[in-house]
Amino acid sequence: LLDTRAAVSHWKAEGLDLSPILVMPELSEGTARRQVVSQDHGLEKALDNQLIEMCRDAIERGEPVRVRMEIRNVNRTVGTMLGSEISRRYGSAGLPEETIDITLVGSAGQSFGAFLPRGVTLRLEGDANDYLGKGLSGGRLAIRPDGAAPFRPEEQIIAGNVIAYGATGGEIFIRGQVGERCCVRNSGATVVVEGAGDHLCEYMTGGRVIVLGATGRNVAAGMSGGITFVLDLDPAAVNGELVDVEPPNDADCDFLVEIIAAHAEQTGSDLARSLLADWANTLSRFSKIMPRDYRRVLNAIALAEELGEDPDRFVMEVASG
């Protein structure tokens, strides 16, 4: 019942020779042509095994736990197995805020804090690789350089590319710059960084992002939701296909003060403190990046609430034009 000839004879496949990858090799006796050995992921060596045991009182009885230990860049996805234990017991609600507070000192491997649920705070004193906060689901990450570092944090990159990829909730505070594609596909997390590389907020659909420093090119490419605030924004860096650039309003001002103050508290950022100390001037330096369709949705929700109507119906009407 399958018509394979149409595909094989298609002009795009003309001249394509798959025989090198389809050839059946000669195998010695006893050699299998299929998987016969299970893959060993080495999970028994994961740092999370120690964290889970240290946090057992919090996981089983909700009692507050505080932990401090070293981390190396071979320790990847730190916090993910711990978060899985919590999510199995408590679902998407997680634990009460600040139940688990873990400070790690050193260099974190890829995907530090991935999928971290509510109730867990991971603090890192050092630096981190790519995908920090990937899929963050309500937890909090606070990153600062080592206390003995001789440089100004806002002038150095201390976390890699693709920060908060696909995050759905929670907070990330990073005292220092980050690499490219920060907050790509972020859909709900609040993120503060002190500078970012190219493609900031690419394909972002929700959440709030504050950048207390310079950005690379192509900001907000494909950004359909959420709001981004950038200090001293270069308008030429913005991809304006889906977004507008405008000054923050009064509600934005309240939000910026609150979150930048939280950033200073969580990371000890001198930059954040200096900006708050001269707030009138600081606010005038912020630009707001707002997706046009997202603005229409927010306006529809506000109108529905004002009229006492169903917001979902208004949003659907906006979406359908």
Side-chain angles (χ1 to χ4, degrees), residues 7 14 34 43 50 68 84 93 97 116 140 198 200 209 221 232 281 297 315:
E14 184 178 354
R34 60 181 179 84
L43 293 180
Q50 298 177 51
R68 184 180 180 91
S84 176
E97 292 292 341
L116 199 69
R140 177 187 296 138
D198 296 343
L200 171 72
V209 177
D232 298 329
N281 180 54
V297 168
V315 169

Side-chain angles (χ1 to χ4, degrees), residues 129-280:
N129 279 269
D130 299 342
Y131 287 101
L132 179 146
K134 174 177 66 179
L136 187 72
S137 303
R140 177 187 296 138
L141 302 176
I143 320 300
R144 68 172 76 191
D146 187 281
F151 54 78
R152 293 166 61 91
E154 64 270 23
E155 296 176 354
Q156 300 293 329
I157 296 175
I158 68 162
N161 300 315
V162 205
I163 306 300
Y165 174 78
T168 61
E171 300 173 327
I172 299 178
F173 301 102
I174 299 180
R175 185 182 180 185
Q177 299 180 27
V178 300
E180 297 185 355
R181 288 190 160 87
C182 175
C183 292
V184 58
R185 301 190 190 280
N186 175 30
S187 65
T190 297
V191 180
V192 184
V193 299
E194 299 184 351
D198 296 343
H199 316 298
L200 171 72
C201 299
E202 184 179 34
Y203 303 125
M204 185 164 129
T205 62
R208 299 291 185 272
V209 177
I210 301 175
V211 184
L212 306 178
T215 73
R217 62 187 176 89
N218 203 33
V219 176
M223 179 180 170
S224 60
I227 303 174
T228 298
F229 302 93
V230 181
L231 191 71
D232 298 329
L233 175 67
D234 176 6
V238 178
N239 185 323
E241 184 176 356
L242 299 179
V243 303
D244 293 320
V245 178
E246 58 193 48
N249 58 32
D250 292 342
D252 298 328
C253 176
D254 295 339
F255 170 78
L256 287 167
V257 168
E258 177 185 354
I259 300 303
I260 294 174
H263 178 67
E265 178 183 357
Q266 295 294 329
T267 68
S269 172
D270 292 331
L271 173 61
R273 292 194 181 102
S274 66
L275 292 172
L276 292 169
D278 187 21
W279 185 245

Side-chain angles (χ1 to χ4, degrees), residues 261-309:
H263 178 67
E265 178 183 357
Q266 295 294 329
T267 68
S269 172
D270 292 331
L271 173 61
R273 292 194 181 102
S274 66
L275 292 172
L276 292 169
D278 187 21
W279 185 245
N281 180 54
T282 296
L283 183 60
S284 68
R285 296 167 56 192
F286 269 108
S287 296
K288 174 182 178 180
I289 301 175
M290 168 67 81
R292 288 185 282 275
D293 285 346
Y294 188 56
R295 185 202 308 279
R296 293 172 60 206
V297 168
L298 293 180
N299 289 342
I301 293 173
L303 179 59
E305 291 175 348
E306 180 181 340
L307 298 176
E309 300 287 346

Side-chain angles (χ1 to χ4, degrees), residues 37-45:
V37 178
S38 298
Q39 186 174 0
D40 180 10
H41 295 281
L43 293 180
E44 72 282 354
K45 301 176 183 177

Side-chain angles (χ1 to χ4, degrees), residues 25-101:
E26 293 291 335
L27 299 177
S28 59
E29 186 177 352
T31 302
R33 295 188 184 277
R34 60 181 179 84
Q35 179 189 358
V36 294
V37 178
S38 298
Q39 186 174 0
D40 180 10
H41 295 281
L43 293 180
E44 72 282 354
K45 301 176 183 177
L47 183 64
D48 271 53
N49 291 309
Q50 298 177 51
L51 296 179
I52 289 170
E53 290 308 312
M54 292 176 174
C55 297
R56 187 65 64 187
D57 290 344
I59 296 171
E60 296 182 352
R61 295 183 292 278
E63 297 177 4
V65 171
R66 301 294 179 262
V67 172
R68 184 180 180 91
M69 64 188 304
E70 293 185 353
I71 188 173
R72 298 169 56 215
N73 62 5
V74 296
N75 302 129
R76 292 176 288 185
T77 65
V78 171
T80 303
M81 291 170 62
L82 171 63
S84 176
E85 289 288 320
I86 294 168
S87 296
R88 285 192 182 98
R89 285 172 167 79
Y90 303 101
S92 60
L95 290 167
E97 292 292 341
E98 302 180 356
T99 301
I100 296 176
D101 196 313

